[in-house]
Amino acid sequence: FQTAADESKQIDLMVNNAGTLNEYDWEPVVQLNLVACVRGSKLAMKHMSKKNGGRGGRIINTCSDLGLIDFHQLPLYCATKHGVRSFTSSMALHPDKELTGVQFACICPSVTRTDLMRSYNETISMAEDLEAIAIPTSRVAEGFLKLLRMSRMNGAILYIDKLKCEFCKLEYVGLGPVWTPQQ
Ligand SMILES: NC(=O)C1=CN([C@@H]2O[C@H](COP(=O)(O)OP(=O)(O)OC[C@H]3O[C@@H](n4cnc5c(N)ncnc54)[C@H](O)[C@@H]3O)[C@@H](O)[C@H]2O)C=CC1
Ligand SMILES: CCCCCC(=O)/C=C/C=C\C=C\C=C\[C@@H](O)[C@@H](O)CCCC(=O)O
Protein backbone atom coordinates (compact mmCIF):
# COMPACT_ATOMS: atom_id res chain seq x y z
CA PHE A 1 0.00 0.00 0.00
CA GLN A 2 2.77 2.42 0.94
CA THR A 3 4.50 1.85 -2.41
CA ALA A 4 1.28 2.67 -4.25
CA ALA A 5 0.68 5.73 -2.06
CA ASP A 6 4.26 6.98 -2.64
CA GLU A 7 4.03 6.46 -6.40
CA SER A 8 0.59 7.99 -6.95
CA LYS A 9 0.66 10.58 -4.13
CA GLN A 10 -3.08 10.20 -3.63
CA ILE A 11 -5.13 7.01 -3.59
CA ASP A 12 -8.83 7.59 -4.28
CA LEU A 13 -10.01 3.99 -4.50
CA MET A 14 -8.98 0.92 -2.54
CA VAL A 15 -10.34 -2.50 -3.53
CA ASN A 16 -9.67 -5.35 -1.14
CA ASN A 17 -10.28 -8.20 -3.55
CA ALA A 18 -7.74 -10.96 -2.83
CA GLY A 19 -9.37 -14.06 -1.42
CA THR A 20 -9.01 -17.79 -1.26
CA LEU A 21 -10.84 -20.91 -0.22
CA ASN A 22 -9.61 -23.91 1.74
CA GLU A 23 -11.71 -25.47 4.48
CA TYR A 24 -8.83 -27.72 5.67
CA ASP A 25 -5.79 -25.45 5.80
CA TRP A 26 -8.04 -22.67 7.00
CA GLU A 27 -5.96 -20.26 9.10
CA PRO A 28 -4.28 -18.63 6.07
CA VAL A 29 -7.79 -18.17 4.64
CA VAL A 30 -8.81 -16.10 7.67
CA GLN A 31 -5.59 -14.10 7.30
CA LEU A 32 -6.20 -13.30 3.64
CA ASN A 33 -9.99 -13.03 3.40
CA LEU A 34 -10.62 -11.16 6.63
CA VAL A 35 -7.43 -9.89 8.31
CA ALA A 36 -5.89 -8.52 5.09
CA CYS A 37 -9.19 -6.88 4.15
CA VAL A 38 -9.40 -5.14 7.53
CA ARG A 39 -5.74 -4.14 7.36
CA GLY A 40 -6.08 -2.80 3.81
CA SER A 41 -9.23 -0.88 4.74
CA LYS A 42 -7.58 0.71 7.76
CA LEU A 43 -4.48 1.72 5.78
CA ALA A 44 -6.63 3.26 3.06
CA MET A 45 -8.91 4.96 5.59
CA LYS A 46 -5.94 6.62 7.28
CA HIS A 47 -4.46 7.74 3.96
CA MET A 48 -7.74 9.05 2.49
CA SER A 49 -9.29 10.67 5.54
CA LYS A 50 -9.82 14.42 5.28
CA LYS A 51 -9.08 14.52 8.98
CA ASN A 52 -5.48 13.55 8.13
CA GLY A 53 -5.15 15.94 5.19
CA GLY A 54 -6.42 13.46 2.57
CA ARG A 55 -9.21 14.19 0.10
CA GLY A 56 -11.60 11.35 0.94
CA GLY A 57 -12.11 8.26 -1.17
CA ARG A 58 -13.80 4.91 -1.61
CA ILE A 59 -13.07 1.51 -0.16
CA ILE A 60 -14.76 -1.41 -1.90
CA ASN A 61 -14.39 -4.85 -0.36
CA THR A 62 -15.08 -8.05 -2.26
CA CYS A 63 -17.45 -10.13 -0.20
CA SER A 64 -19.62 -12.94 -1.65
CA ASP A 65 -23.21 -14.11 -1.59
CA LEU A 66 -21.79 -16.45 1.06
CA GLY A 67 -21.32 -13.33 3.21
CA LEU A 68 -25.11 -13.02 3.28
CA ILE A 69 -26.21 -16.62 3.74
CA ASP A 70 -24.97 -19.82 5.40
CA PHE A 71 -23.68 -22.75 3.37
CA HIS A 72 -22.78 -26.08 5.01
CA GLN A 73 -20.05 -27.00 2.47
CA LEU A 74 -17.94 -23.89 3.13
CA PRO A 75 -18.37 -22.86 6.79
CA LEU A 76 -14.98 -21.17 7.22
CA TYR A 77 -15.20 -19.34 3.90
CA CYS A 78 -18.70 -18.18 4.88
CA ALA A 79 -17.42 -16.96 8.25
CA THR A 80 -14.69 -14.85 6.65
CA LYS A 81 -17.12 -13.34 4.14
CA HIS A 82 -19.71 -12.58 6.82
CA GLY A 83 -16.84 -10.84 8.62
CA VAL A 84 -15.96 -8.80 5.53
CA ARG A 85 -19.57 -7.84 5.01
CA SER A 86 -20.17 -6.83 8.61
CA PHE A 87 -16.86 -4.97 8.95
CA THR A 88 -17.57 -2.99 5.77
CA SER A 89 -21.17 -2.13 6.68
CA SER A 90 -20.17 -1.20 10.23
CA MET A 91 -17.37 1.08 9.00
CA ALA A 92 -19.91 2.76 6.73
CA LEU A 93 -22.13 3.52 9.72
CA HIS A 94 -19.38 5.39 11.58
CA PRO A 95 -20.64 8.84 12.56
CA ASP A 96 -17.33 10.40 11.44
CA LYS A 97 -17.92 9.55 7.76
CA GLU A 98 -18.85 13.09 6.67
CA LEU A 99 -15.66 14.36 8.28
CA THR A 100 -13.40 11.70 6.81
CA GLY A 101 -14.96 11.73 3.32
CA VAL A 102 -14.30 7.98 3.09
CA GLN A 103 -17.10 5.75 1.77
CA PHE A 104 -17.30 1.99 2.31
CA ALA A 105 -19.20 -0.57 0.22
CA CYS A 106 -19.00 -4.25 -0.64
CA ILE A 107 -19.93 -6.45 -3.56
CA CYS A 108 -21.44 -9.90 -3.05
CA PRO A 109 -21.15 -11.93 -6.26
CA SER A 110 -22.60 -15.40 -6.57
CA VAL A 111 -20.33 -18.18 -7.83
CA THR A 112 -18.16 -16.76 -10.64
CA ARG A 113 -16.02 -18.43 -13.31
CA THR A 114 -12.49 -17.87 -11.96
CA ASP A 115 -9.54 -19.96 -10.77
CA LEU A 116 -11.09 -19.99 -7.29
CA MET A 117 -14.23 -21.63 -8.62
CA ARG A 118 -12.19 -24.10 -10.69
CA SER A 119 -10.11 -25.14 -7.68
CA TYR A 120 -13.28 -25.77 -5.71
CA ASN A 121 -14.75 -27.64 -8.64
CA GLU A 122 -11.92 -30.15 -8.38
CA THR A 123 -13.04 -31.10 -4.87
CA ILE A 124 -16.68 -31.79 -5.67
CA SER A 125 -18.39 -34.20 -7.98
CA MET A 126 -20.79 -31.64 -9.48
CA ALA A 127 -18.24 -29.79 -11.56
CA GLU A 128 -20.42 -29.28 -14.60
CA ASP A 129 -23.35 -28.08 -12.52
CA LEU A 130 -21.18 -25.48 -10.85
CA GLU A 131 -19.84 -24.30 -14.21
CA ALA A 132 -23.44 -24.02 -15.38
CA ILE A 133 -24.63 -21.87 -12.48
CA ALA A 134 -21.54 -19.63 -12.42
CA ILE A 135 -21.60 -16.07 -13.74
CA PRO A 136 -18.84 -14.57 -15.94
CA THR A 137 -16.39 -12.09 -14.41
CA SER A 138 -17.84 -9.40 -16.72
CA ARG A 139 -21.06 -9.59 -14.72
CA VAL A 140 -19.14 -8.77 -11.53
CA ALA A 141 -17.37 -5.92 -13.34
CA GLU A 142 -20.78 -4.46 -14.30
CA GLY A 143 -21.78 -4.44 -10.63
CA PHE A 144 -18.50 -2.88 -9.62
CA LEU A 145 -18.95 -0.08 -12.18
CA LYS A 146 -22.50 0.48 -10.96
CA LEU A 147 -21.07 1.28 -7.53
CA LEU A 148 -18.37 3.55 -8.95
CA ARG A 149 -20.92 5.57 -10.93
CA MET A 150 -22.82 6.46 -7.77
CA SER A 151 -21.59 9.60 -6.09
CA ARG A 152 -22.85 8.24 -2.76
CA MET A 153 -22.22 4.56 -2.28
CA ASN A 154 -21.46 4.54 1.43
CA GLY A 155 -22.97 1.45 3.10
CA ALA A 156 -23.98 -0.29 -0.12
CA ILE A 157 -24.04 -4.08 -0.20
CA LEU A 158 -24.39 -5.06 -3.85
CA TYR A 159 -25.61 -8.59 -4.58
CA ILE A 160 -24.77 -9.85 -8.08
CA ASP A 161 -26.03 -13.03 -9.75
CA LYS A 162 -27.14 -14.05 -13.24
CA LEU A 163 -30.42 -12.17 -13.06
CA LYS A 164 -29.98 -9.57 -10.34
CA CYS A 165 -27.60 -6.78 -9.52
CA GLU A 166 -29.31 -5.17 -6.57
CA PHE A 167 -28.71 -3.62 -3.19
CA CYS A 168 -29.41 -5.66 -0.08
CA LYS A 169 -31.14 -4.23 2.91
CA LEU A 170 -30.03 -5.57 6.25
CA GLU A 171 -31.83 -5.13 9.51
CA TYR A 172 -29.76 -3.34 12.11
CA VAL A 173 -30.14 -4.04 15.78
CA GLY A 174 -31.06 -0.79 17.50
CA LEU A 175 -32.02 2.46 15.88
CA GLY A 176 -29.21 2.82 13.37
CA PRO A 177 -29.84 4.06 9.85
CA VAL A 178 -30.94 1.67 7.11
CA TRP A 179 -29.16 2.29 3.80
CA THR A 180 -31.07 3.28 0.68
CA PRO A 181 -29.47 4.19 -2.66
CA GLN A 182 -28.97 7.94 -3.32
CA GLN A 183 -27.40 9.43 -6.42
N1 LIG B 1 -15.09 -17.01 -7.83
C1 LIG B 1 -16.19 -16.93 -7.11
O1 LIG B 1 -17.14 -17.74 -7.25
C2 LIG B 1 -16.36 -15.83 -6.12
C3 LIG B 1 -15.30 -15.14 -5.60
N2 LIG B 1 -15.48 -14.16 -4.68
C4 LIG B 1 -14.36 -13.41 -4.11
O2 LIG B 1 -13.76 -12.68 -5.16
C5 LIG B 1 -12.41 -12.40 -4.80
C6 LIG B 1 -11.51 -12.73 -5.97
O3 LIG B 1 -11.56 -14.15 -6.13
P1 LIG B 1 -11.43 -14.90 -7.54
O4 LIG B 1 -11.09 -13.92 -8.61
O5 LIG B 1 -12.62 -15.75 -7.69
O6 LIG B 1 -10.24 -15.85 -7.20
P2 LIG B 1 -8.85 -16.14 -7.94
O7 LIG B 1 -8.23 -17.27 -7.19
O8 LIG B 1 -9.09 -16.26 -9.38
O9 LIG B 1 -8.06 -14.80 -7.64
C7 LIG B 1 -7.63 -14.49 -6.34
C8 LIG B 1 -6.65 -13.34 -6.38
O10 LIG B 1 -6.14 -13.17 -5.06
C9 LIG B 1 -4.73 -13.04 -5.14
N3 LIG B 1 -4.12 -13.58 -3.92
C10 LIG B 1 -4.24 -14.86 -3.47
N4 LIG B 1 -3.52 -15.00 -2.33
C11 LIG B 1 -2.96 -13.79 -2.08
C12 LIG B 1 -2.13 -13.29 -1.04
N5 LIG B 1 -1.74 -14.06 -0.02
N6 LIG B 1 -1.76 -11.99 -1.09
C13 LIG B 1 -2.16 -11.20 -2.11
N7 LIG B 1 -2.95 -11.62 -3.10
C14 LIG B 1 -3.35 -12.89 -3.08
C15 LIG B 1 -4.32 -13.85 -6.35
O11 LIG B 1 -3.08 -13.39 -6.85
C16 LIG B 1 -5.46 -13.58 -7.32
O12 LIG B 1 -5.22 -12.41 -8.05
C17 LIG B 1 -12.12 -13.21 -3.54
O13 LIG B 1 -12.22 -12.36 -2.42
C18 LIG B 1 -13.25 -14.24 -3.53
O14 LIG B 1 -13.53 -14.70 -2.25
C19 LIG B 1 -16.75 -13.79 -4.30
C20 LIG B 1 -17.83 -14.42 -4.79
C21 LIG B 1 -17.75 -15.50 -5.73
C1 LIG C 1 -17.83 -22.28 -5.51
C2 LIG C 1 -16.76 -21.84 -4.66
C3 LIG C 1 -16.06 -20.59 -5.04
C4 LIG C 1 -16.82 -19.33 -4.84
C5 LIG C 1 -17.21 -19.06 -3.47
C6 LIG C 1 -18.12 -17.91 -3.37
O1 LIG C 1 -17.70 -16.83 -3.01
C7 LIG C 1 -19.51 -18.07 -3.61
C8 LIG C 1 -20.05 -19.25 -3.82
C9 LIG C 1 -21.46 -19.38 -3.95
C10 LIG C 1 -22.08 -20.53 -4.10
C11 LIG C 1 -21.41 -21.78 -4.18
C12 LIG C 1 -22.13 -22.85 -4.38
C13 LIG C 1 -21.53 -24.14 -4.54
C14 LIG C 1 -22.31 -25.19 -4.72
C15 LIG C 1 -21.80 -26.52 -5.02
O2 LIG C 1 -21.13 -27.10 -3.96
C16 LIG C 1 -22.93 -27.42 -5.47
O3 LIG C 1 -23.72 -27.72 -4.34
C17 LIG C 1 -23.75 -26.72 -6.52
C18 LIG C 1 -24.39 -27.75 -7.39
C19 LIG C 1 -25.09 -27.11 -8.52
C20 LIG C 1 -26.56 -26.98 -8.30
O4 LIG C 1 -27.04 -27.27 -7.21
O5 LIG C 1 -27.20 -26.59 -9.26
Side-chain angles (χ1 to χ4, degrees):
F1 182 87
Q2 201 51 53
T3 307
D6 291 344
E7 277 175 12
S8 34
K9 303 278 184 285
Q10 178 67 37
I11 294 176
D12 300 308
L13 172 67
M14 172 73 160
V15 182
N16 292 295
N17 179 65
T20 189
L21 188 161
N22 189 326
E23 293 292 319
Y24 303 101
D25 184 16
W26 56 268
E27 292 194 36
V29 181
V30 179
Q31 284 298 322
L32 181 63
N33 291 14
L34 182 57
V35 177
C37 172
V38 171
R39 192 173 286 147
S41 299
K42 283 181 177 287
L43 282 169
M45 174 86 180
K46 195 173 166 194
H47 170 91
M48 291 169 177
S49 175
K50 290 180 181 169
K51 285 166 81 180
N52 300 331
R55 59 181 191 209
R58 292 165 185 247
I59 299 174
I60 300 180
N61 293 331
T62 305
C63 184
S64 162
D65 59 350
L66 295 184
L68 302 169
I69 55 166
D70 298 333
F71 182 53
H72 76 281
Q73 290 187 13
L74 298 170
L76 187 274
Y77 183 82
C78 281
T80 63
K81 292 300 180 178
H82 277 255
V84 168
R85 207 280 309 146
S86 181
F87 171 76
T88 310
S89 308
S90 299
M91 289 299 283
L93 287 173
H94 199 283
D96 256 10
K97 62 179 178 293
E98 298 301 336
L99 296 176
T100 63
V102 180
Q103 301 189 58
F104 279 85
C106 62
I107 54 170
C108 299
S110 59
V111 60
T112 308
R113 281 183 210 109
T114 67
D115 290 346
L116 187 79
M117 185 210 82
R118 287 175 206 111
S119 68
Y120 180 68
N121 249 353
E122 287 163 13
T123 70
I124 61 168
S125 56
M126 293 168 156
E128 281 139 85
D129 289 336
L130 198 55
E131 188 70 38
I133 62 167
I135 57 173
T137 51
S138 58
R139 182 86 185 122
V140 182
E142 280 169 36
F144 185 82
L145 290 174
K146 177 172 172 163
L147 270 185
L148 283 190
R149 285 192 199 101
M150 300 171 72
S151 58
R152 303 188 70 173
M153 59 152 223
N154 191 53
I157 302 164
L158 186 62
Y159 171 80
I160 307 161
D161 71 8
K162 244 179 206 167
L163 302 174
K164 292 186 225 147
C165 182
E166 62 187 34
F167 297 105
C168 299
K169 272 192 183 172
L170 293 177
E171 299 299 324
Y172 292 97
V173 176
L175 300 174
V178 174
W179 190 85
T180 44
Q182 293 173 317
Q183 284 303 330

